[in-house]
Amino acid sequence: TKCGRFAALLEDRNGGVWAGHTRSLDKLPPLCHFAEDQFKCFATPGNGYLLYVGSLHEDRSGNIWVGAAGAVCRWRETNPDCYAIPGQAAPTERFGVWALAGDADGDLWVDGGPGWIWRLASGHWQSYQLADLKLQTQAMLYDRENSLWIGDVRHGLIRRVNGRTDRFTVADGISSESVNKIFEDREGSVWVATNAGLDRFRDMKVVTLTSREGLPLDQAGAILASKDGSIWVSRSGGRSSLVHMK
């Protein structure tokens, strides 16, 4: 049997929780929504990009954006609006979009494959490359202080602000240099889910949660904070599961 995982979680402004899955299965399509005690999943037959979901983002207008196979799609249940990342002509060349972030101008920042970051502004793409870092980005966040956080598979956590780039590794206190997701809560804390636990940055000080501190999983995948202050975390690796911590 094929196995997948919940690679992305998002709580929208109405309190609904969106979950993106990495496999398109008959029993569990790639995009699901939980609201008012109802759980619904959406199949996308005929869409060559929404084969799986790697990331989710809600923009200032309330649109839900989905990181898919070689594209980002503005979600509509009847006809999703997809923007293919340049340079991927054949389906076999498409990579998963595992990171999305929106800035104060409403532009969308996108994981663009090995070494590249893309910005989508008014339907047009522009590419960027951070010097001396061959990134394999899995997570991205534009925080309320206009800092761009980037989580990498091998290089840990990168924070770019005012033209300066800072890098955080295990030596700086994070639980692992393989970062899966990044999230900012309503108090301004930045949460980082890694292959070894969960890290929280507050005023640039880091606190780590692992199984030793009672976290009921070792590999944290996607993460979000609910309005009641509780935390939802998905497991990275193994069977798909969601953990709700209050």
Side-chain angles (χ1 to χ4, degrees):
T1 60
K2 294 182 179 179
C3 294
R5 64 184 175 89
F6 286 104
L9 294 174
L10 173 70
E11 183 184 20
D12 63 31
R13 62 187 61 188
N14 297 318
V17 174
W18 297 81
H21 204 262
T22 59
R23 290 281 188 181
S24 179
L25 306 176
D26 292 337
K27 295 183 179 180
L28 186 63
L31 184 63
C32 301
H33 181 242
F34 179 78
E36 299 179 349
D37 295 326
Q38 293 186 351
F39 190 77
K40 180 180 180 181
C41 293
F42 305 95
T44 55
N47 188 300
Y49 300 109
L50 286 167
L51 305 175
Y52 54 83
V53 174
S55 51
L56 293 165
H57 173 71
E58 183 180 19
D59 67 19
R60 298 182 301 175
S61 300
N63 296 306
I64 302 299
W65 289 86
V66 181
V72 294
C73 300
R74 183 164 43 205
W75 175 249
R76 299 188 181 110
E77 187 171 352
T78 55
N79 186 24
D81 187 14
C82 296
Y83 296 82
I85 297 175
Q88 302 178 84
T92 54
E93 297 177 358
R94 296 175 186 167
F95 49 82
V97 175
W98 303 107
L100 292 174
D103 64 20
D105 296 323
D107 297 340
L108 197 65
W109 293 79
V110 178
D111 157 35
W116 291 93
I117 295 172
W118 290 81
R119 180 169 65 97
L120 181 65
S122 301
H124 300 286
W125 289 104
Q126 183 176 358
S127 62
Y128 297 84
Q129 188 172 29
L130 296 181
D132 302 325
L133 289 176
K134 295 182 179 180
L135 299 178
Q136 294 183 17
T137 304
Q138 286 200 142
M140 202 178 296
L141 168 73
Y142 221 100
D143 69 17
R144 63 189 66 181
E145 297 179 353
N146 295 321
S147 299
L148 179 63
W149 297 77
I150 300 170
D152 190 70
V153 175
R154 296 176 302 173
H155 298 295
L157 185 66
I158 295 97
R159 176 176 179 260
R160 185 166 178 80
V161 57
N162 297 326
R164 187 184 75 249
T165 300
D166 301 316
R167 182 182 168 212
F168 301 91
T169 65
V170 171
D172 300 301
I174 66 174
S175 54
S176 170
E177 291 172 15
S178 182
V179 176
N180 294 318
K181 294 295 174 184
I182 312 171
F183 180 81
E184 183 181 24
D185 65 21
R186 288 172 174 78
E187 297 178 350
S189 296
V190 173
W191 295 81
V192 182
T194 78
N195 275 355
L198 193 60
D199 305 314
R200 184 185 69 178
F201 282 80
R202 180 72 173 178
D203 298 324
M204 298 312 297
K205 296 180 180 179
V206 60
V207 175
T208 295
L209 300 174
T210 67
S211 57
R212 292 189 298 272
E213 287 77 35
L215 188 70
L217 48 80
D218 291 317
Q219 296 180 321
I223 178 174
L224 66 82
S226 297
K227 293 180 180 179
D228 61 4
S230 61
I231 301 295
W232 290 82
V233 186
S234 73
R235 185 185 306 275
S236 175
R239 295 177 63 89
S240 297
S241 61
L242 296 175
V243 175
H244 189 202
M245 300 186 299
K246 297 183 177 180

